[in-house]
Amino acid sequence: MKTSIATVSISGALDAKLQAIAAAGFAGAEIFENDLLSSHLSAKEIGAMMRDLGLACTMFQPFRDLEGLPEPQRARAFDRLERKFDVMADLGTDLVLVCSSCSPLADGDRERTIADLVEAGERAARRGMRLGYEALAWGRHVADHREAWSIVRDADHSAVGLVLDSFHSLARRIPASSIGDIRADKLFIVQVADAPMLEMDYLGWSRHFRCMPGQGEFPLDDWAEAIRRIGYDGYWSLEIFNDRFRAGSASQVAVDGYRSLRMLEGGIERPAAAAVELPPRISTTGVEFIEFAASHEEADELGAMLRPLGFRPTARHRNKDVTRWTQGALNLVINCEPEGLAHSFDVVHGASVCAIGLAVPDVPAALARADLLRIQRYEQAVAPDEWPIPSVRGVGGSLLYLVDAATRAAMWAHEFPHPLEPTGPALLTGFDHVAQTMQSEEFLSWLLFYLGLLDMRKTPQVEIADPMGLVLSQAVETPGREVRFTLNGSLAHQSLSSRFIQNYFGAGVQHIAFACPDIFAAADAAIALEVDRLEIPRNYYDDLEARWGLDPELVERMAARGILYDRDGEAEYFQFYTRAFARRVFFEVVERRDYAGYGAINAPIRLAAQARHKPPFLD
Ligand SMILES: O=C(O)c1ccc(O)c(O)c1
Ligand SMILES: [Mg+2]
């Protein structure tokens, strides 16, 4: 796939944008006119810079309101176009994007439109240039790529072609089958954007809500497949108007963009027919372990929270200050080493989750996928007798270890040979989900990370009311729901999530939810060992009884244990929470009875209960 991105997609000054675009691995970039107008560099200098960076200038854009004008506006538009050809020559591109007209002066007569495009094509051809006609979804007379294509086809001029932009076509829900009529040699460039499905005006939706392929809800796989099928082999160019991206880091947005095009190439939701030679997304069968970085003091505190939940320290590392805590098939690792990544993590963030081990069947394939997406591998020094576990950088600089079956067996037996206590009764049977909290600016980036690397699907985004602001929440899940992450992005500075980020000095794991087959048994055992649990107000239970018509006795049993409840049809969800450890990480225990969600309805109750416990220094 030939990759390109419009400079409008990225923050900063034009020269900095181009550097970020080149560093992320793109082959080309579209120069957005406003970026050039506001640059201190001339078009010639930008052109030279692009050549030095190895970037093709794929298009100059946009040229607005060309066709259907009365005189004298028409003559002026053509003069303006000639001037742009000079700029394009300096930039080193032969292609200009012409948007379908939005001018109230434009006449919608089809023959006039064709005649104007032919005239423009003649002028372009004289200068060795070409123009690509794009139907804006809010164009005054041409707002549909089918209409734009029929005009381009009938104009029948070698310098006049079509620009397809997924936003305009998919916002209008134009079927991908309509692309089959387009001739590949007439499709001059393809612009790509995803977006959430919203009910709003096209212009506002397009200018503020576009996102990278995979981050939104447009059916891009079918659309891209239809374009490949006609034999198109030109550039796929991201064009993402989004205020959040323009407020973010240029290099991160550029890398995300590159990653998203690679995802599109291989298929976002299902493998693309054309992508056989690309490393596919990784299947993962479970969370093998979660590792905490902690000082000894913090490790004691953490241990005191884990025991009531049924965990015991069962083994010690052969030569490191690292303890394995287990329960049934669940593994937690507490790392108190005075050096290495875990220690650095503890110094920066305080006691927290520094790594997650994912069970994957094929580690080399996983690393190949990570490389394709430019996800950073993490290589740490391994002593000669140590078992190396490959890893990549995840949320907040934490690691995602990739653990295959051979490593799993060797890792525990070889690295943790010194037994400590026997295991207790297994109350909890698995990791249900891991919740990670981040700034809202990073939210879409991490969504793309998980969806690109792992064979996971996203659930719809929900907004959760925190006592001090809104939090965006969205889950990613493996097809069999063996691994689930929930991502939470705070939209308000005072929300509990934001306080977490401030307190944590960055994004990270805010809670770990364990699965159990009997929540009452798990809660009773935890309470018997004096678990520090989150108290839920009585009002909640009065409402619960009224809302679901639950047996009052069941409601009393839940109230006595601080268990929250949700229901979806016949499916039921029970959950309880511990208080936060080191003011950062807390634990949840859930029992699912065919329930697929995360109890979002209870999140405001939980957040308010946590806010009541907030440590005084955070005020
Ligand atoms: O919003 C716009 O004006 C605009 C400009 C150029 C494009 O390619 C586009 O899709 C939209
Ligand atoms: Mg466009």
Side-chain angles (χ1 to χ4, degrees), residues 30 32 59 61-62 64 97 99 134-136 138 163 165 167-168 191 203 206-207 210 239 241:
E30 295 176 23
F32 196 70
M59 185 158 65
Q61 69 125 325
R64 301 182 192 277
L97 181 151
C99 299
E134 176 188 34
L136 298 182
W138 56 92
V163 174
D165 178 328
F167 180 85
H168 302 297
Q191 292 183 315
L203 179 74
S206 173
R207 296 256 174 98
R210 289 187 182 214
E239 191 193 41
F241 301 86

Side-chain angles (χ1 to χ4, degrees), residues 302-375:
L302 179 56
M305 296 210 68
L306 292 174
R307 275 180 191 276
L309 295 176
F311 288 92
R312 296 289 179 274
T314 51
R316 227 187 119 70
H317 194 274
R318 29 200 283 279
N319 50 22
K320 287 189 176 166
D321 196 348
V322 181
T323 309
R324 176 187 184 189
W325 287 67
T326 53
Q327 159 167 212
L330 282 166
N331 290 294
L332 299 175
V333 170
I334 304 182
N335 190 329
C336 300
E337 275 285 285
E339 55 187 41
L341 179 96
H343 178 66
S344 315
F345 216 83
D346 186 34
V347 169
V348 175
H349 302 284
S352 52
V353 171
C354 62
I356 297 173
L358 286 181
V360 301
D362 185 346
V363 169
L367 291 172
R369 179 72 185 178
D371 290 346
L372 173 79
L373 299 178
R374 305 200 165 212
I375 288 174

Side-chain angles (χ1 to χ4, degrees), residues 183-197:
R183 266 173 39 211
D185 65 308
K186 281 292 189 187
L187 183 50
F188 284 178
I189 199 165
V190 167
Q191 292 183 315
V192 195
D194 201 345
M197 279 298 176

